[in-house]
Amino acid sequence: MSERRAAGDHVYATMRITLVCATGILQFGLCLHPLLTQEYQHRWLAVAAFIALACVTAVCCGWVLRRKPLPVAVVVAGTAVVLAVSFCAPAALAPDQHFQASDWSFGLVGWHLLLLSLDRIRVLITVLATHLVTSMGLFLSAGVPDRATLGAAGAAAFGAVNVQLAVVVITRVLHRQTHEAMAVAEEKDRLETRVLTAQQWERGQRCLFADQLGSTLSLLAGLADGELDPRDSDTQRRCALAATQLRRLFAENDDVPDPLVHEVTACVDAAERRGVDVSFAVSGAAVPVPSQVRHELTGPVVTALSAARIRARVSMLRTDEEVRIAVVADAYADLVIESTGRVGVEYGVYGEYLRLEARWRKQQS
């Protein structure tokens, strides 16, 4: 969104630079000559109006040429000055000079209003309408004009306003097209990011499967070659561990509302298939847990349940700050369970039972 806003500001900045140049050329290239050569009822008022418009352009140049938006104070003060000029400059004319060569201010005021309020469409339309109504009011206050004079005035007003409104339309079209182009580019970037993320996840899963299957295949090869005795307790524990790890690995790829509970349930199911009586309790609402953290949280659970002989109890506690998984099982006493960088593990053997707790705090991840 910020990039699209910056692109829109770039369009307005470019158009304002064009307007500064156009306004300067119109004022000093076309309007200065009639100011110096035409007769006025109040020349000083016409000269003051010309100077005031030149000052507005000069002040705006300080921000426009640096491609910065005009401050609100500058817009308000400048608009007030320009609207004052739109009244004072026609007041300096004779009644028959309105919308003639001497009335140089009519079109020029509109360009100044464009420069000031180009990115504020409602304000711009309001002040342009005010300027047009003021000019027509001064024109009609001199008396009812004849048909030819009225037609010439209408043509002059229509031509000036049409060109200025065309600039507004072109600017809005460029602004909208820029927004659309930036939106398409952002969507393309999001899609590319998703593709790269999916590819990285797929590569990670392949490596995980390869590692897991590698240890399982070596175990199967040992059993097939007779190197391992299936009646040996250590071999049985290794088989139980491999089976539980595979069950958890398959569960990690399932699309479920609560992945952590699903993965722990897979571990529990693997233990129950071996005849272990396992109770599983969950407290607290589901919280988002990164996949790598889930893997580290369930790792100790896999080890403890694969070593359980007859019964085990698994409990999960989830809060906004942390997730805890505790296991009590009649497991082997010689288990070695290591903590990871993000998940802390505490365990100990009490008589015939192993008590284990894996804990993850959100601020540590």
Side-chain angles (χ1 to χ4, degrees):
M1 184 62 70
S2 59
E3 293 181 357
R4 273 187 271 177
R5 186 181 294 111
D9 293 342
H10 177 75
V11 171
Y12 286 124
T14 303
M15 291 301 296
R16 271 204 169 98
I17 291 176
T18 304
L19 286 173
V20 162
C21 297
T23 303
I25 292 172
L26 288 173
Q27 182 165 359
F28 292 95
L30 298 179
C31 299
L32 182 60
H33 182 265
L35 177 67
L36 297 176
T37 58
Q38 298 293 327
E39 295 294 331
Y40 294 89
Q41 279 188 336
H42 308 286
R43 176 170 292 276
W44 68 269
L45 192 57
V47 172
F50 187 92
I51 294 174
L53 290 180
C55 290
V56 170
T57 305
V59 171
C60 291
C61 283
W63 284 274
V64 172
L65 296 181
R66 290 181 295 168
R67 308 185 71 87
K68 294 184 177 181
L70 296 176
V72 176
V74 172
V75 173
V76 173
T79 301
V81 171
V82 173
L83 289 177
V85 168
S86 72
F87 178 82
C88 295
L93 299 172
D96 59 344
Q97 289 180 308
H98 290 284
F99 295 103
Q100 302 298 320
S102 303
D103 194 6
W104 50 266
S105 66
F106 177 75
L108 188 59
V109 163
W111 289 103
H112 281 81
L113 293 176
L114 275 175
L115 175 62
L116 289 165
S117 303
L118 183 63
D119 54 347
R120 298 173 174 87
I121 297 300
R122 294 182 181 179
V123 175
L124 177 60
I125 297 301
T126 301
V127 294
L128 282 175
T130 302
H131 165 54
L132 181 60
V133 170
T134 300
S135 299
M136 294 302 297
L138 291 173
F139 171 65
L140 296 175
S141 65
V144 180
D146 56 36
R147 184 175 299 177
T149 303
L150 185 62
F158 180 80
V161 172
N162 254 6
V163 173
Q164 292 160 5
L165 290 179
V167 173
V168 175
V169 172
I170 291 172
T171 303
R172 295 298 296 177
V173 169
L174 291 175
H175 186 267
R176 185 177 66 253
Q177 290 180 345
T178 302
H179 265 257
E180 292 174 353
M182 291 299 297
V184 171
E186 289 178 1
E187 182 62 25
K188 182 180 178 181
D189 291 341
R190 281 195 293 268
L191 290 176
E192 291 178 351
T193 301
R194 290 176 184 173
V195 170
L196 291 175
T197 302
Q199 290 175 347
Q200 291 176 355
W201 179 84
E202 183 180 1
R203 286 194 295 267
Q205 289 299 110
R206 286 180 179 177
C207 292
L208 193 60
F209 270 104
D211 293 341
Q212 191 63 58
L213 290 176
S215 60
T216 304
L217 289 175
S218 63
L219 179 62
L220 293 176
L223 291 171
D225 295 340
E227 297 177 359
L228 298 175
D229 184 1
R231 293 169 297 182
D232 182 67
S233 60
D234 183 63
T235 302
Q236 292 175 354
R237 183 170 59 179
R238 288 178 59 188
C239 290
L241 178 61
T244 308
Q245 288 174 336
L246 285 175
R247 291 281 295 177
R248 181 192 58 172
L249 190 60
F250 295 146
E252 287 179 1
N253 298 301
D254 295 337
D255 185 11
V256 292
D258 197 336
L260 182 59
V261 170
H262 182 64
E263 293 174 21
V264 175
T265 302
C267 300
V268 170
D269 183 65
E272 289 178 338
R273 288 173 180 270
R274 295 191 296 108
V276 179
D277 182 15
V278 184
S279 63
F280 179 31
V282 181
S283 300
V287 295
V289 181
S291 59
Q292 183 59 36
V293 174
R294 294 201 308 269
H295 188 80
E296 295 176 6
L297 272 171
T298 55
V301 178
V302 169
T303 304
L305 289 180
S306 63
R309 296 183 179 91
I310 300 175
R311 64 179 60 86
R313 184 172 69 250
V314 181
S315 59
M316 181 187 302
L317 173 63
R318 298 180 293 188
T319 66
D320 293 335
E321 291 79 22
E322 65 178 6
V323 175
R324 296 183 182 183
I325 302 178
V327 180
V328 178
D330 55 347
Y332 297 90
D334 57 347
L335 293 179
V336 177
I337 303 174
E338 297 180 356
S339 300
T340 61
R342 287 172 288 190
V343 175
V345 179
E346 297 179 359
Y347 71 99
V349 177
Y350 304 91
E352 297 180 354
Y353 289 91
L354 168 72
R355 185 186 182 281
L356 175 147
E357 182 180 82
R359 177 186 300 176
W360 171 66
R361 291 184 180 274
K362 287 187 177 181
Q363 59 268 26
Q364 294 177 349
S365 63

